[in-house]
Amino acid sequence: MNKKYEDRQLSNIASHGNYSKGRKYKDSKLQFNRTEYQRDRDRILYSDAFKRLKHKTQVFFNTKNDHVRTRLTHTLEVAQLARSVARYLNLNDDLAEAISLAHDLGHPPFGHAGEDVLHDLMKNYGGFNHNLHTLKIVTKIEKKYLNFDGLNLTYETLDGIIKHNGPFKSTSNVPKLIKSLEKDFNFEIDKYSSLEGQIANICDDIAYVSHDLEDGLRSKIIKIKDLINLPIIDIFLKKFKNNKINNDKLLIYYLTNNLSNYFINDLVENSKFNIIKNEIKTIDDVINYGKQIIEMKTNTYKELLSIKKFLFQNMYNNKEILDQYVLIDKKFRFLFDIYTNDPKKLPVKWRTSDYNTRQNVSDEIIAIDACDYIASMTDNYFEMKSSDLMS
């Protein structure tokens, strides 16, 4: 690898690919002057799970609107924001991008509705969590290489995935999968991830708040008049009105674009302030600081939370959305029952045991295999399978 290339204007507190803690398995030589994290990014991009994101729901499903976001478009938007923030702060934008591109690989079909019902179906076996399932995909489920299962990602990318929602406050509730990975790496799971991992985390929140709001307005589930008293949004609405432009489409774009920029600008400025004020000068300073460094000002973050609360009340829990969730819930339960009662109906590649001698296979293993298969499905494939099996 060309060290000079990797060290391009990177800060001392950036995650340098040259000094990565490595991968679980010995891998082939890097080609085309790529960095370690560019290899991670490329493997994520070429994974089957990433391809399926284009037909997985963000919020809306069964819609004929081509401009409504899917998991894929949301993921790309998070990656774009994360790259921009990382580059501005002289951090490793390749790593921030890789973590961002991976962060939603584990989402089942039909968004949070799908996750909720799978969690309930798996309650006797530890539940279901899309972040943990993402980790399972990149370390076990993807099978594209001769020498290892998974994608053999670097420690730093895996660390960003594991701590996507922050560190584990208690080591007593660490999932088995993460414990098994710690045989090869010490993830220091009670500590925060790299600055690049922190960037991917907060950019996820900014992207979905700004862009779910846009989808809600476009779908007319949310009306402009509903936003008048929301913090910061009311200011943008007044500015737009003062320009005397009477165009709803332009207003929606203006509003969500300015909202995203507002949060990103505050994030960058406050994070720079945190780094300087707290004398964060090395990677060890980052890991041992004990608090999040990449963050907005307290009041700005409260504004983000207010908009998030509004979306939960007025969009995610909207009757039109919830009515569809009821139908989806029934289909999930139907498919899960089919596969757990007759696991031979699972495709061979999703069977981790020999179901011809089922007496030697526990109910837990069968349930996990069924859950993994259902979670892998796109919305379209899920509908096709449920229709086929119901007929």
Side-chain angles (χ1 to χ4, degrees):
M1 187 197 303
N2 185 336
K3 283 195 173 187
K4 189 174 181 181
Y5 176 71
E6 178 61 2
D7 290 341
R8 67 210 187 283
Q9 297 182 340
L10 291 184
S11 163
N12 287 334
I13 55 176
S15 298
H16 291 243
N18 300 319
Y19 311 114
S20 167
K21 292 183 181 179
R23 306 172 188 274
K24 179 176 180 178
Y25 303 101
K26 186 177 180 181
D27 220 321
S28 56
K29 274 189 173 183
L30 286 161
Q31 298 180 33
F32 312 119
N33 207 26
R34 285 188 303 173
T35 68
E36 294 290 350
Y37 306 134
Q38 285 174 339
R39 167 177 268 174
D40 283 356
R41 174 203 63 199
D42 295 347
R43 286 186 171 176
I44 292 161
L45 279 172
Y46 291 122
S47 68
D48 288 340
F50 188 83
K51 296 183 188 84
R52 289 194 290 263
L53 292 179
K54 67 179 177 180
H55 290 304
K56 288 197 176 191
T57 291
Q58 175 71 8
V59 175
F60 296 92
F61 41 88
N62 295 332
T63 177
K64 294 179 181 178
N65 186 339
D66 289 337
H67 300 122
V68 164
R69 284 170 176 81
T70 63
R71 283 285 157 200
L72 178 61
T73 50
H74 164 71
T75 295
L76 294 174
E77 288 167 352
V78 174
Q80 179 269 322
L81 291 177
R83 276 197 75 97
S84 298
V85 172
R87 182 164 290 196
Y88 185 83
L89 294 173
N90 293 326
L91 301 173
N92 199 316
D93 48 329
D94 293 332
L95 176 58
E97 180 183 31
I99 296 168
S100 300
L101 290 172
H103 88 278
D104 264 357
L105 292 179
H107 258 292
F110 299 105
H112 292 288
E115 178 162 13
D116 289 345
V117 66
L118 277 183
H119 181 66
D120 185 57
L121 288 167
M122 293 296 292
K123 63 187 175 186
N124 294 330
Y125 310 111
F128 176 85
N129 176 281
H130 80 266
N131 289 318
L132 191 61
H133 195 61
T134 293
L135 189 63
K136 188 173 185 179
I137 286 170
V138 300
T139 57
K140 293 179 180 293
I141 292 177
E142 284 285 332
K143 292 179 172 59
K144 302 173 81 73
Y145 303 94
L146 293 174
N147 300 326
F148 48 80
D149 288 340
L151 303 179
N152 198 30
L153 303 178
T154 59
Y155 165 93
E156 291 76 15
T157 299
L158 292 176
D159 184 71
I161 293 169
I162 289 170
K163 300 172 185 174
H164 183 63
N165 291 324
F168 286 80
K169 294 180 180 177
S170 169
T171 55
S172 62
N173 63 348
V174 178
K176 291 179 184 177
L177 176 58
I178 295 176
K179 285 182 179 178
S180 71
L181 294 173
E182 288 214 299
K183 294 174 185 176
D184 303 292
F185 294 117
N186 176 15
F187 286 106
E188 298 184 281
I189 53 177
D190 58 334
K191 297 181 179 180
Y192 281 88
S193 67
S194 64
L195 295 181
E196 291 85 357
Q198 293 180 37
I199 287 171
N201 183 6
I202 191 66
C203 284
D204 182 22
D205 278 355
I206 293 172
Y208 90 71
V209 163
S210 302
H211 301 139
D212 285 1
L213 184 65
E214 179 180 339
D215 285 349
L217 289 166
R218 280 174 173 265
S219 68
K220 297 187 169 35
I221 281 182
I222 297 172
K223 307 289 192 299
I224 293 292
K225 65 180 182 180
D226 300 331
L227 309 178
I228 291 173
N229 295 319
L230 279 176
I232 197 60
I233 289 182
D234 58 343
I235 295 173
F236 292 141
L237 288 174
K238 286 172 185 173
K239 283 183 180 178
F240 189 86
K241 189 176 180 181
N242 290 339
N243 289 328
K244 297 180 180 179
I245 301 173
N246 187 22
N247 185 311
D248 284 348
K249 283 187 178 180
L250 272 182
L251 172 56
I252 292 169
Y253 178 75
Y254 169 88
L255 182 62
T256 53
N257 184 49
N258 277 275
L259 191 63
S260 180
N261 286 339
Y262 171 75
F263 288 131
I264 288 293
N265 286 333
D266 186 272
L267 177 71
V268 167
E269 292 305 317
N270 194 59
S271 299
K272 278 173 59 181
F273 175 79
N274 282 346
I275 291 166
I276 295 168
K277 178 188 174 185
N278 297 292
E279 298 183 340
I280 307 297
K281 296 179 180 178
T282 68
I283 291 283
D284 285 341
D285 290 343
V286 172
I287 303 305
N288 295 318
Y289 179 60
K291 288 189 282 186
Q292 193 158 310
I293 297 169
I294 303 296
E295 60 181 2
M296 304 174 205
K297 296 187 191 76
T298 301
N299 286 340
T300 309
Y301 189 62
K302 284 180 180 177
E303 291 169 342
L304 181 78
L305 291 179
S306 294
I307 299 169
K308 190 185 288 190
K309 182 180 178 181
F310 170 85
L311 287 171
F312 270 97
Q313 292 173 341
N314 297 277
M315 190 163 89
Y316 307 141
N317 290 321
N318 181 278
K319 185 177 183 302
E320 184 179 328
I321 300 292
L322 293 179
D323 285 347
Q324 294 183 66
Y325 282 6
V326 173
L327 296 174
I328 293 304
D329 184 281
K330 291 178 180 177
K331 290 180 180 180
F332 266 89
R333 294 179 189 279
F334 170 78
L335 276 185
F336 189 78
D337 286 344
I338 287 284
Y339 293 129
T340 51
N341 290 326
D342 187 1
K344 291 179 187 176
K345 288 185 177 177
L346 283 168
V348 173
K349 75 172 188 175
W350 290 96
R351 304 180 200 173
T352 58
S353 302
D354 181 5
Y355 292 131
N356 291 319
T357 55
R358 182 177 168 173
Q359 62 268 25
N360 297 322
V361 184
S362 69
D363 289 343
E364 180 176 7
I365 289 173
I366 293 169
I368 290 171
D369 286 354
C371 178
D372 286 349
Y373 178 46
I374 293 170
S376 77
M377 295 179 181
T378 62
D379 296 11
N380 299 339
Y381 187 76
F382 176 94
E383 291 283 25
M384 183 190 76
K385 292 304 291 184
S386 56
S387 296
D388 288 348
L389 292 169
M390 283 178 173
S391 59

